[in-house]
Amino acid sequence: MANFDPAPHSVADIGVTGMAVMGSNLARNLARNGFKVAIHNRSVEKTERVIAEHGQDGEFVPAETMDEFVASLQKPRVAIIMVKAGKATDAVIEELATRMDEGDIIVDCGNALFSDTLRREQELRARGLHFVGSGVSGGGEGALNGPSIMPGGSKASYDRLGPMFEKISAHVDGVPCCTHVGENGAGHFVKMVHNGIEYADMQVIAEAYDLMSKALGMSAPEIGKVFEKWNEGNLNSFLIEITAAVLNHTDNVTGKPFVDIILDQAGQKGTGAWTSKTALDLGIPVTGIAEATFARSTSGGTEQREAGRAVLKGEAQTIQIDDAAQFISDLQQALYAAKLVSYSQGFDEIKAGAKEYEWDIKLGDMARIWRGGCIIRAGFLNRITEAYERNPELPLLLADEYFTAEITKCIPAWRRIVAFAAAVGIPAPVFSSTLAYYDAVRAERLPAALVQAQRDYFGAHTYRRVDAEGTYHVEWTGDRTETRQD
């Protein structure tokens, strides 16, 4: 990797346009790490506020106009865009591109759809510019103190940008949580899948909370203590940690547990849906991610939920739990297993995307850069890196010897939890769908044979036989003779 020398006093090493929380915090992180940072915002007041409140963080070069902003950057210029995804991003890209020279670099660090990044990279490459779509995970705090960074784009652009991004990223065991993911849209693709896994992780944690609350009658603080204990073991992760903190928090107004005063409607910004849609296009089952996305949609379907509550009584059983400690232990194991499946499915999607778009993505490196800074950071990510180091062509993460052994331990508890939830009528879509996937991927034979026969009957879609080569079709509405079609 090329080393990047800091700029002379008159120009900035790098620039950030868009001074909302993420943009200003990323600029401050760069300044704190010794880089001279040009900052710009369409409304000058936000730029002035950053200087007034955080000017002590390092050297900033404020710009009132886009002309001043671009002129203040050391060549080859690097300008980071931190604005709303979509048309706003395209508008700022055009403003920058018309002012930049061949070899300059525009970086989108927002949550852009990877296909938009593919288009933008191609358009700017034709104009002699580099375009980098970079995932940045960790929220505002991560942007300030060290996020996980997933830059795509050309290798040449990474030579200029990489040293800065690696320095400001989170570090685990002295290793930066940043690497060159791959060409053009690879960075935003990986960030999309990261967010999809995040959806599944959050939902299955919520399902575990729901089961403890409804089946055991535990209060939020009591459940919070359980999550604190779980965070000390194989479930150690950022999301388990913050779940404990949320459940232990008391509402300042009512004095009630904070989680109990929040409306049970979860929002979403689209990355879970993007991950699910893309997986469908690639033919990759991401059942945990998809069900988590649908769960958020269900929570927001107030009209449907109101109608359902009025008439849909169900026939749920009442099951007495005699050993609460064993039930909680089962939940821990089921949660671990469901998380492993969701991560495995996510890595399957990254692998398929890399093949489809010809990206040289190293799966073990993705697990490594997710160990710190990002939302899905978890203790077992080290094990995922090791699995792909043992076999870079591993067809299924769960088939790695470590993960096979780990998930096998969880199966009895996992089945008990899913069966209990179904029997008593507590929705557990991620627990259930990940177990169904586990059973499907290990099955000797699936009922897909019948589905294919049905397809041949109504659409002449053909089928293959287990005892002969070729594709075949039956004349279902005729004499039912079989003919080879290839």
Side-chain angles (χ1 to χ4, degrees):
M1 181 191 301
N3 290 319
F4 173 62
D5 296 322
H9 183 72
S10 58
V11 291
D13 302 319
I14 190 169
V16 181
T17 178
M19 289 291 105
V21 174
M22 286 292 290
S24 61
N25 281 0
L26 193 63
R28 292 174 59 198
N29 188 352
L30 285 158
R32 286 177 174 184
N33 278 280
F35 300 106
K36 301 179 186 70
V37 187
I39 59 173
H40 167 265
N41 196 80
R42 190 172 297 277
S43 58
V44 179
E45 292 78 14
K46 287 189 176 181
T47 304
E48 293 174 340
R49 187 180 304 122
V50 172
I51 297 298
E53 296 178 1
H54 308 293
Q56 72 280 3
D57 282 346
E59 292 189 58
F60 294 101
V61 181
E64 291 191 10
T65 68
M66 191 62 81
D67 286 332
E68 291 178 2
F69 177 68
V70 173
S72 70
L73 299 173
Q74 179 187 3
K75 295 184 178 182
R77 302 179 182 94
V78 178
I80 295 174
I81 299 171
M82 294 296 286
V83 301
K84 187 176 181 179
K87 292 182 180 179
T89 298
D90 281 319
V92 175
I93 288 172
E94 185 59 27
E95 283 189 82
L96 288 168
T98 57
R99 292 166 171 82
M100 286 185 153
D101 299 321
E102 185 174 348
D104 287 349
I105 304 164
I106 298 175
V107 187
D108 177 13
C109 285
N111 266 341
L113 181 59
F114 78 95
S115 55
D116 287 339
T117 303
L118 287 171
R119 168 181 57 81
R120 290 163 178 159
E121 193 276 337
Q122 185 177 26
E123 291 171 354
L124 290 176
R125 180 161 27 98
R127 298 168 70 170
L129 299 173
H130 296 280
F131 183 73
V132 175
S134 180
V136 177
S137 178
E141 183 177 344
L144 180 62
N145 297 313
S148 173
I149 309 180
M150 296 152 258
S154 66
K155 291 181 179 179
S157 64
Y158 193 78
D159 285 343
R160 170 73 166 86
L161 180 64
M164 290 186 283
F165 271 6
E166 289 184 12
K167 189 170 184 180
I168 69 167
S169 71
H171 284 63
V172 177
D173 300 327
V175 179
C177 294
C178 173
T179 191
H180 182 227
V181 174
E183 297 287 327
N184 48 65
H188 275 149
F189 186 94
V190 166
K191 176 57 163 56
M192 174 191 74
V193 176
H194 164 283
N195 283 26
I197 295 171
E198 178 185 309
Y199 272 54
D201 211 343
M202 294 172 70
Q203 174 63 26
V204 78
I205 288 171
E207 291 172 18
Y209 150 78
D210 202 33
L211 282 160
M212 280 186 273
S213 174
K214 292 175 179 174
L216 297 178
M218 295 172 65
S219 68
E222 289 172 334
I223 300 171
K225 298 304 179 186
V226 172
F227 277 99
E228 285 180 359
K229 184 176 180 180
W230 285 356
N231 197 46
E232 297 170 359
N234 57 13
L235 290 174
N236 172 256
S237 64
F238 173 70
L239 284 172
I240 294 290
E241 176 187 339
I242 68 168
T243 298
V246 167
L247 292 172
N248 284 318
H249 181 57
T250 300
D251 176 47
N252 293 329
V253 176
T254 63
K256 296 178 180 179
F258 181 68
V259 71
D260 292 343
I261 59 92
I262 299 176
L263 190 65
D264 62 338
Q265 297 176 18
Q268 52 185 314
K269 292 188 175 180
T271 46
W274 292 349
T275 309
S276 302
K277 291 176 183 177
T278 303
L280 286 171
D281 291 338
L282 295 170
I284 301 299
V286 291
T287 58
I289 295 168
E291 288 295 346
T293 305
F294 289 139
R296 293 197 190 188
S297 299
T298 301
S299 76
T302 53
E303 183 179 352
Q304 292 85 355
R305 291 178 65 193
E306 183 178 352
R309 282 193 296 267
V311 297
L312 301 178
K313 304 304 181 185
E315 297 180 359
Q317 300 177 34
T318 300
I319 299 177
Q320 179 67 36
I321 298 174
D322 297 322
D323 190 340
Q326 181 60 53
F327 185 83
I328 291 172
S329 176
D330 282 356
L331 264 179
Q332 179 182 12
Q333 294 179 69
L335 179 55
Y336 184 48
K339 283 164 68 78
L340 292 182
V341 168
S342 296
Y343 279 73
S344 180
Q345 292 177 340
F347 277 91
D348 281 348
E349 183 168 358
I350 293 174
K351 185 176 182 178
K355 182 178 180 180
E356 175 72 16
Y357 296 101
E358 299 181 339
W359 297 321
D360 183 22
I361 299 178
K362 295 177 175 58
L363 297 179
D365 285 353
M366 299 307 98
R368 176 178 59 77
I369 67 173
W370 288 347
R371 294 183 304 162
C374 73
I375 304 302
I376 65 170
R377 58 186 185 264
F380 61 75
L381 283 163
N382 275 326
R383 297 293 192 173
I384 295 178
T385 297
E386 292 168 2
Y388 286 112
E389 286 175 348
R390 281 191 288 271
N391 181 6
E393 301 303 319
L394 186 65
L396 176 73
L397 180 60
L398 299 178
D400 173 76
E401 57 189 27
Y402 174 81
F403 289 107
T404 298
E406 286 293 284
I407 205 163
T408 298
K409 300 174 191 173
C410 301
I411 294 169
W414 197 6
R415 295 196 189 284
R416 286 194 293 269
I417 290 298
V418 171
F420 176 87
V424 301
I426 298 175
V430 175
F431 275 130
S432 303
S433 64
T434 51
L435 178 58
Y437 169 84
Y438 172 87
D439 284 332
V441 82
R442 69 174 188 84
E444 186 70 29
R445 184 169 171 81
L446 292 169
L450 178 58
V451 172
Q452 195 62 17
Q454 293 168 334
R455 294 181 74 240
D456 189 59
Y457 192 112
F458 65 70
H461 293 296
T462 74
Y463 56 89
R464 288 177 294 151
R465 298 179 60 94
V466 298
D467 56 359
E469 295 295 322
T471 57
Y472 296 84
H473 168 63
V474 168
E475 297 297 333
W476 292 102
T477 57
D479 61 4
R480 298 205 173 183
T481 57
E482 179 186 70
T483 57
R484 183 165 176 170
Q485 302 293 301
D486 60 334

